[in-house]
Amino acid sequence: MPDRGGGPSGPRIRVGRPSRRVRTLLMTLGVLAVLAMTFVMFAGFWTDWLWYRSVHYSSVFTTTLWTKIGLFFVFGLLMAAAVGFNIWLAHRLRPPLSAMSMEQQSLDRYRMGIAPYKRWLLLAITSLVGLIAGASASGQWRTWLMWVNGVPFNQKDPQFHLDVSFYAFDLPWYRFLLGFGFAAAVLSLIAAALTHYLYGGLRITSPGARATAAATGHLSVLLGIFVALKAVAYWLDRYGLAVKSSDFKATGNWTGLRYVDANAYLPAKTILFCIAVICALLFFATLWRRTWQLPVIGFGLMVLSAILIGGLYPAIVQKFQVQPNEQAKESPYVEKNLKATREAYGIDGTDVQNYPGLSDTKDKAKLRADADTAASIRLMDPNIVSPTFQQLQQVRNYYGFPSNLDVDRYTKDGKDQDTVIGLRELNLAGIPKNNWINDHFRYTHGYGAVAAKGTTADDEGRPVFTEYDLPSKGDLGSYQQQIYYGEKTTQYSIVGGPQKEIDYSDDSGEKTTSYKGKSGISLSSPVNRAAYAVAFGEPQILYSGAIGEGSRILYNRTPKERVEAVAPWLTIDGDAYPAIVDGKIQWIVDAYTTTNGYPYASRTTLGDTTADSLTAANNQRAVVAQQNQVNYIRNSVKATVDAYTGDVKLYQWDTKDPVLKTWMKAFPNTVKSKSSISPALMAHLRYPQDLFKVQRELLTRYHVKDAQTFLSGSEVWQVPDDPTNRSGSAVPPYYLSMKLPGKTSQAFSLTTTMTPNGRDNLSAFVSVNAEAGTPGYGKINILKLPTGRTVDGPKRVQSQFNSEPSIAESIRLLRGGDSEVEYGNLLTVPLDDGLLYVEPVYVRGGDLKYPLLRKVLVTYGGSTAFEDTLDKALNVVFGAESSTTPPPDEGTKNPPTSSNPTVQDALDDAQKAFDQGQEALKKGDWEAYGEAQKDLEDALKRAEDAQAKAGAGAGADKTTDKTTDKNADKSGGPSSSPSGSPSSDKSPGSG
């Protein structure tokens, strides 16, 4: 060969074919690589199948899988066929090549280059677009299943009078088909145009016609299909106006038609639909006319019409018809939005009643007695006392409690008792030594529940535990205490094999166990072990000797993960809570069905409306579906997850919800009937917090039913910020057993307060009956306060607490040294036309790293108290003893003197005079205070004389003298007590 390098010739090096050994090695490596990739994909599929089969929801896996596969192949093949057919047709319609221009000479090189590979190139292009289209379509499996299984709502929208199911189930599928059609038309048009250009059907710089007749006809038909699809889009846009979201100056977020939509956009869409149909027909007509003149003119008119009719005309209507008289024009549409939004969020049955907010009751004794029955006031804040549970009941470092405990109710001696409860879950961070065996084989589960009375603390400010120690014992009875599934259990464990697990430890040492449940997937098969070794990226699973006969792998162990996996069509509540049900620990999970296709109902973002100070403070309390926008929500499913076996059960809760009925058709036999809920489980079901948070956010604007008031914005409320911390986030709703005005008994409720927009006084107190199984369950009640009177809201109440001099001084003293003060939940309780506020105050003092209840803040009607116990605080606020106050101990130093009626009458007068003096002190009426002190002195003198006469000897006389001196000292003036109350718990006559 000649030397093309231009230098002197030298020895040539021949590059020959690789040796047979090298070729064999390369082929072997290639086959192994393909097998490895195939097994990796197989491992993901196989482990998923095994997991669904283990939880007995394999039908969910197969239904979802076959739906995705079906959509993938159908729409992938349709797209591939559409693009491939148009490429083939453009190639077939290519013109015969004649005199070659410079343009065609350049293209000829490409034609010759691809000629031997035309079929393979066509197959590659169609396969690529088919794969992309199929993958996109498979993601629409929810849309397909809802369309094919849709159940009617039996409610019609007010504009087009179509069933709501059309917007919720049908319209999304039609929009997907339309989008797919547009994609197919555009890709086919591009592919056909490139093919025509490559083979001379389209010419850019060549002399003569720019397109052959065949190319003109072909491309015109494709353009006609595109314009026809645009006509369909215009027609569907008409219905889309009913679920279109927009910004409305008067109300902010808005969904549905407004005046300009109904009177400008709707006619415009109809006109544009007609123009698009005509324009499409003109494009189709080029098959006979072979000219683009009329279609191009028609397309230009369609674009101009879209600008003028679809854009300019509505703007003119808005500017010159709506704005000058907005309220009158928009009112009919606002009424439709009000009605639809209230129905879609389940707030249409809200009971609103006027509430004074300030009590006119003068009978202090009655108020004090009513305060005892108005609510079971929870002093143990579940969001603060978790460290106390941790310190007192953790027992071992490898156990832990969630940051936020839960509130439930249990029956004790026939009475319901509000209870704070948490599970002693596995805490891997506390394991003495972390290694693969310890983390996954030995430390596998938590142990036991810990519960405390919600309304009581002991003398040291600690919770009064009703379930405690390890193993747990107490009021909850006998139950399976091992916790293999929980909120903190996020790591896989391998159980049931030759390696023993640590069950719990007591004074006699560690107790071991081996998992006896049927949960998890068996690792006895080498294929299963290999699949999980690949899926978890842990090769030791394949060969470890700790895995043997009976070994099972547990994963997806949090209640939220398990319910989401078996019901991927549900939106899961952010907080699962445990309950002891029929001798088992069951996690109870609330689940929602949602849609964003409810006509006229305004949308909300679930992640925003369910966020509050708890979700902002830590990551333990999750929010619902962070970016999920919906305009319809129902708590349609109650789910349970067994803490030992991991069994998941779904129960139909809302028997009327058409969205749930649709999914039950798509996934038959996955949701049990409501009648399957046992009475024991029903006793622990409750109204979910996240749903209530969504509803209260909507109620800030949609509590009004009058369009004029809604448009004026004068009645807009807001959820107040949590006054007990500085997060700037909304106050969370609180569970509380309370009695609403007009009711005779307490009901387990979920409560919140509302304030006017931008102000701190109270607008309303909102509660919902949270006690499942009762006739009033789910009923939202609003106590609406008068707008002409200022009633303090939570922020003002907290400010008053902090600014009261005596309280501020006490707080300063509590913070002495390295102590920290934490404010608990600020509870609001309606009481005799007024509002009682109660807030527990906790202290982390000295070496104690956990909070203890030290004080209770109470305010009512402007009167505030800061005492060691709730009873004392209520006594100070109302100036009266509770009817439930225990009598003095029998061993008291000074026996009661009430055995003498004359003495008792005098002491009663003394108590009355003392109360009058304290009332005068609060009002600053020094004249009245002086008279009360004189009356008090006279009463005490009479008591002393009567006791002396009735005495049975000198000893009795001495006792009376000492008692009188004590009481006289107590009544000495305004400086006798920092809070203006007696410095002793005893009344003036209790000596």
Side-chain angles (χ1 to χ4, degrees), residues 875-925:
N875 290 342
V876 171
V877 165
F878 296 113
E881 293 290 334
S882 167
S883 59
T884 59
T885 301
D889 292 338
E890 292 182 2
T892 184
K893 182 178 180 181
N894 296 320
T897 59
S898 59
S899 57
N900 187 322
T902 305
V903 174
Q904 186 60 54
D905 290 342
L907 291 176
D908 288 343
D909 291 342
Q911 180 66 60
K912 183 177 180 181
F914 178 82
D915 291 340
Q916 290 172 346
Q918 297 306 307
E919 191 69 27
L921 267 180
K922 292 175 184 177
K923 296 178 180 178
D925 188 344

Side-chain angles (χ1 to χ4, degrees), residues 738-761:
M738 55 167 286
K739 181 170 62 177
L740 282 174
K743 302 295 183 181
T744 58
S745 60
Q746 295 181 9
F748 190 65
S749 305
L750 195 52
T751 67
T752 191
T753 51
M754 297 283 196
T755 59
N757 196 24
R759 296 167 61 193
D760 295 327
N761 56 293

Side-chain angles (χ1 to χ4, degrees), residues 964-977:
T964 305
D965 291 340
K966 274 187 181 179
N967 291 318
D969 290 340
K970 288 177 186 176
S971 60
S975 62
S976 61
S977 173

Side-chain angles (χ1 to χ4, degrees), residues 132 200 249 267 324 345 524 579 590 639 695 897:
I132 295 172
K249 182 179 68 176
Y345 290 94
S524 57
D590 287 288
Q695 290 174 324
T897 59

Side-chain angles (χ1 to χ4, degrees), residues 177-218:
L177 292 179
L178 184 64
F180 178 83
F182 274 123
V186 170
L187 289 175
S188 297
L189 183 63
I190 293 171
L194 289 174
T195 306
H196 279 299
Y197 176 70
L198 181 64
Y199 287 97
L202 293 177
R203 306 174 187 120
I204 298 176
T205 61
S206 300
R210 292 286 180 260
T212 64
T216 299
H218 184 195

